[in-house]
Amino acid sequence: MYRLLSLLLISGVFFTQARAQIGDKLIPHMGFVYEIATFSETGTNPQSDRTAFYTFNLGTYYSFFHKNDIVSVGIDPSVHFGFNVVGNGYINYMLQVPVFAMARVGANSTIYNQQKIGAGVGVGGIFTNLSEKISPDLRRSSRYINPAVVAEVTIMSRSGTLTVRGHYAIAEALADQIYKDNDGNITNRLERSFGGFGAGLIYGF
């Protein structure tokens, strides 16, 4: 019984320390990002199109390494939920999952940094899932992954940090654009070349 209690106590201490260490490395964030999804037809006479989405951002920055809480290197995964309403009243949806390996300096480099201004750059990829209503009985959807870069500038406020962030797909992705009727039946499948970019305001807390 004594050994069991000792083991539980030791396990609890290690778990508490591990959770505290992880918490020291996390900087959660949320905000809004204006996204532009672009696609172009493949072939000899390609035509391009773009759709704008208003997205809500939720994610976190996790620092793997830092130097005096001034410079850090880490990973920034997030999720974007977005929509738009086109002129005919149709609602389009967007889901994005950006994941960036980042380097930061100044504000937002770690949770203990107290500098007023910071900056960051990163490289990674963005998974995008689009669903667009194009007629009363037809919707098209697309899923693709773009390699992308991100850059940001951060200002410290009294309640947290405000970050202006922009990202850009550095290469287009080939993927199918699938057309379905209201019953979910596939009516057409076309290969497209997808890209995009976005900019937004992110709040760190």
Side-chain angles (χ1 to χ4, degrees), residues 8-10 12 14 45 53 57 71 99 113-114 125 133 135 138-140 153 162 164 176 182 190-191:
L8 291 175
L9 179 60
I10 294 173
F14 276 118
N45 296 309
F53 290 86
N57 166 288
V71 178
V99 179
N113 184 283
Q114 297 299 315
K133 188 78 171 180
S135 71
L138 197 62
R139 179 174 286 274
R140 67 186 181 191
V153 175
L162 293 176
V164 177
D176 286 340
N182 292 332
L190 302 172
E191 187 179 60

Side-chain angles (χ1 to χ4, degrees), residues 56-189:
F56 172 74
N57 166 288
L58 183 63
T60 189
Y61 173 73
Y62 182 90
S63 61
F64 292 115
F65 169 82
H66 73 88
K67 179 66 173 178
N68 298 327
D69 291 310
I70 297 176
V71 178
S72 70
V73 176
I75 188 170
D76 192 312
S78 59
V79 179
H80 298 179
F81 302 97
F83 73 95
N84 71 13
V85 180
V86 294
N88 50 20
Y90 301 147
I91 299 177
N92 300 326
Y93 304 96
M94 166 184 274
L95 170 66
Q96 280 191 329
V97 183
V99 179
F100 293 107
M102 297 194 67
R104 283 179 168 175
V105 60
N108 251 7
S109 56
T110 73
I111 63 172
Y112 300 109
N113 184 283
Q114 297 299 315
Q115 293 175 284
K116 297 299 183 181
I117 299 177
V121 293
V123 62
I126 302 176
F127 167 79
T128 303
N129 186 2
L130 291 179
S131 179
E132 302 173 276
K133 188 78 171 180
I134 58 175
S135 71
D137 57 355
L138 197 62
R139 179 174 286 274
R140 67 186 181 191
S141 61
S142 312
R143 294 179 181 178
Y144 52 93
I145 298 176
N146 293 111
V149 292
V150 62
E152 61 184 29
V153 175
T154 298
I155 299 176
M156 178 73 73
S157 68
R158 292 183 178 180
S159 59
T161 57
L162 293 176
T163 299
V164 177
R165 170 182 287 190
H167 61 257
Y168 179 77
I170 56 178
E172 294 187 336
L174 288 177
D176 286 340
Q177 195 170 62
I178 300 173
Y179 293 74
K180 293 183 179 181
D181 59 24
N182 292 332
D183 295 325
N185 300 314
I186 297 178
T187 62
N188 201 1
R189 185 189 298 265

